[in-house]
Every structure is written in structure tokens, then in C-alpha cells.
Amino acid sequence: MGCGASVNTGRRESGAEGVQGNPAEQLLTQLVTSDMSRFASKELQASAQDAAKEASASDGNGLAAETSQKLVLERVCSSVRDEWHADEVDSLGKQLRLSIVVFGASGDLAKKKTYPALYELFKKGFLPRRLQIVGYARSRMSTQDLRDRLRPHLSRQPAECECVEQFLNSCSYLAGEYDAPAGYEALGAALTAWEATMCRAAGGGGG
């Protein structure tokens, strides 16, 4: 998720309306009053204000306007990123559904890198809770086998046990060949069936 803002740092003639303060303060005002404000918690606003003060002090020591603006943007955008949750973005977020296919799901790369990375996104709220992650590979194993293989490579923090299990409940497995159409047809059917179910649930107010 990217964010940015353009700021008019010039001052108007005396008596005309204009934004007062240095460029960092102007940028802070624009960010807080923009569409980004819907993501802003008290902690985010405090972080932005601290960044503006820091930029103001540096600006007084000769820091370029562009540099002071960049400082505030980096601090605020980072905070917005960390607070953003897919399920909380207006009405759209409540209807989001996502299908992810992990090819080679039975391999070491998948269990040590791919799935842990997806879990981190899930934990931080960057993936919607209406989520299916379908593993596809030649190895003959069940969905439960896949989950058991993945669990040790996800977070070992006791406080995250529930989140880990929620993530694993979104993971399923389908065995198939890479050089034959039957496996891909089964994969497509599984994805379509799940998405159709989620659409019906959303339409009926459930899910």
C-alpha cells in the first residue's frame, strides 16, 4: 500500500489565506485531513506529530523542505501500513475474499519461506479473513498433513497460537501433476467452488 501527498510550501501575500508553519507541519496537516485520516488512530497521530516536531527542529537548522517532508511521510506511511487491516477498509473490506495458490507446496521452500511469509501478512491484517491458500504439488498427502508440516515453521509464540490455527484453517492441499490437465482442472474447480460459497455467504449477510 503506497501513500503520498503533494504540499504547497509557498506563502501567499500578506492578508491572503495560506497554510502557516514549516513544510513538515503543512504536510502533517494535509495528511491528517486527507483520506488517510480514516486509518489514523491516536497512536498514529502522535507518531505523525512527533515526526513533524523532529522535522521542524531539523528544518530550523537548515534541513531542506523536501527532506523534512520526506521524514514525516516515511514515519506516517509506515504507521498506516502497520495499522491497516484488510477486513476494516470500509464496506469493501468486509466483502474481500482472496484465493492464493502455492505451487510446489510440499517442498522446503514453501514450508520455510512461502507459507511463513503469507502467515506474517495474515497476522498483520494484510490478507482478508475470507481467505483460501491452496497448496498444489505432486506429493500425495492430505490437507492435514500439509498443516502439520507447516505448523513448526510458523510463529512459536504462545500468544499467537490462535492466529496460527486460523491461518492453517485457510490452508488446503491438492495433489496433481504439472504436465497434465486433470490436476489443474481439479484445482480450478476447487477454487471456483470456494469462491462461489463465499459470494453466497456475503450476499446472505453471513461468512
Side-chain angles (χ1 to χ4, degrees), residues 2-136:
C3 52
S6 60
V7 178
N8 179 6
T9 59
R11 294 183 180 276
R12 303 199 178 179
E13 296 293 333
S14 176
E17 291 184 357
V19 180
Q20 300 301 314
N22 69 15
E25 292 170 338
Q26 294 174 26
L27 178 58
L28 173 60
T29 299
Q30 185 164 347
L31 288 172
V32 171
T33 57
S34 71
D35 289 340
M36 286 177 58
S37 62
R38 63 196 175 117
F39 297 120
S41 64
K42 292 181 180 179
E43 291 77 10
L44 170 57
Q45 293 178 7
S47 176
Q49 290 168 356
D50 289 344
K53 290 178 182 178
E54 183 179 339
S56 298
S58 300
D59 199 39
N61 295 326
L63 186 67
E66 293 78 6
T67 305
S68 63
Q69 292 173 20
K70 181 179 179 183
L71 174 62
V72 178
L73 275 175
E74 287 178 347
R75 189 77 59 80
V76 174
C77 287
S78 175
S79 298
V80 169
R81 177 201 66 205
D82 291 341
E83 294 189 358
W84 191 84
H85 292 276
D87 292 336
E88 298 174 5
V89 185
D90 300 335
S91 59
L92 172 64
K94 295 177 174 58
Q95 300 179 46
L96 286 175
R97 56 192 59 81
L98 176 65
S99 297
I100 298 174
V101 178
V102 177
F103 290 98
S106 61
D108 281 349
L109 178 63
K111 72 179 181 182
K112 294 179 180 179
K113 298 293 184 180
T114 306
Y115 280 99
L118 290 171
Y119 169 70
E120 289 299 315
L121 293 174
F122 178 86
K123 179 178 69 174
K124 293 178 183 296
F126 295 164
L127 299 179
R129 288 307 187 257
R130 287 191 178 93
L131 169 72
Q132 66 165 339
I133 303 175
V134 182
Y136 184 92

Side-chain angles (χ1 to χ4, degrees), residues 94-95 97 130 195-207:
K94 295 177 174 58
Q95 300 179 46
R97 56 192 59 81
R130 287 191 178 93
E195 290 170 359
T197 299
M198 289 297 101
C199 286
R200 288 196 296 272

Side-chain angles (χ1 to χ4, degrees), residues 129-147:
R129 288 307 187 257
R130 287 191 178 93
L131 169 72
Q132 66 165 339
I133 303 175
V134 182
Y136 184 92
R138 292 191 183 96
S139 301
R140 301 296 170 180
M141 62 180 183
S142 66
T143 290
Q144 189 59 50
D145 292 334
L146 174 69
R147 293 173 180 175

